Amino acid sequence: MRIALIAHDGKKADMVHFLSGFKDRLLGSDIQLFATGTTGSHIERAGFNVEKLMSGPYGGDAQIAAMAAQKELDLVVFFRDPLDKHPHEPDVQMLMRICDVHNIPLATNLASAELMFKQLTTAQ
């Protein structure tokens, strides 16, 4: 299972808190975590193994979209901050479109991410 993790600046703490709730199920499993650079640093400091890509504004969102397009991901969790402006919004929209085109599950908020993680980690 390969999961990509992205969080806008105002949501990075939420991402770490979310993952911490699944720590016992994630550690020691065959789930691979990938994240954009800064988000990945936060996740790594929380004790998770994660492959860090570029920061979102510098191409990390596009890298994750490319992985989704090549069927290298099973799930994308993107905690977006809908109340803030983001200069790389075209990349965000492109990533969401790629997930839709290639039928990659995409969680954009805590509620959907929890449902998906509960299902995935139960199946492990």
Side-chain angles (χ1 to χ4, degrees), residues 6-22:
I6 310 165
H8 281 147
D9 288 343
K11 300 288 184 173
K12 292 187 189 319
D14 292 343
M15 177 66 78
V16 171
H17 181 72
F18 164 72
L19 289 173
S20 295
F22 291 92

Side-chain angles (χ1 to χ4, degrees), residues 3-8 10-21 34-35 39-40 42-43 46 48 76-80 107 110 113 117:
I3 301 173
L5 305 165
I6 310 165
H8 281 147
K11 300 288 184 173
K12 292 187 189 319
D14 292 343
M15 177 66 78
V16 171
H17 181 72
F18 164 72
L19 289 173
S20 295
F34 300 87
T39 300
H42 286 266
I43 293 167
F48 293 93
V76 175
V77 177
F78 190 166
F79 286 176
R80 302 174 62 229
L110 181 60
F117 259 64

Side-chain angles (χ1 to χ4, degrees), residues 69-122:
Q70 295 173 24
K71 304 285 190 193
E72 295 173 358
L73 295 173
D74 300 297
L75 171 65
V76 175
V77 177
F78 190 166
F79 286 176
R80 302 174 62 229
D81 186 349
L83 302 178
D84 202 3
K85 292 183 180 179
H86 306 283
H88 57 107
E89 188 64 26
D91 291 339
V92 171
Q93 293 299 318
M94 180 260 313
L95 170 60
M96 294 171 67
R97 182 182 155 281
I98 291 292
C99 287
D100 286 344
V101 167
H102 294 281
N103 206 29
I104 305 292
L106 171 65
T108 59
N109 59 54
L110 181 60
S112 59
E114 283 182 350
L115 286 171
M116 290 181 192
F117 259 64
K118 284 177 183 174
Q119 181 62 38
L120 291 173
T121 57
T122 301

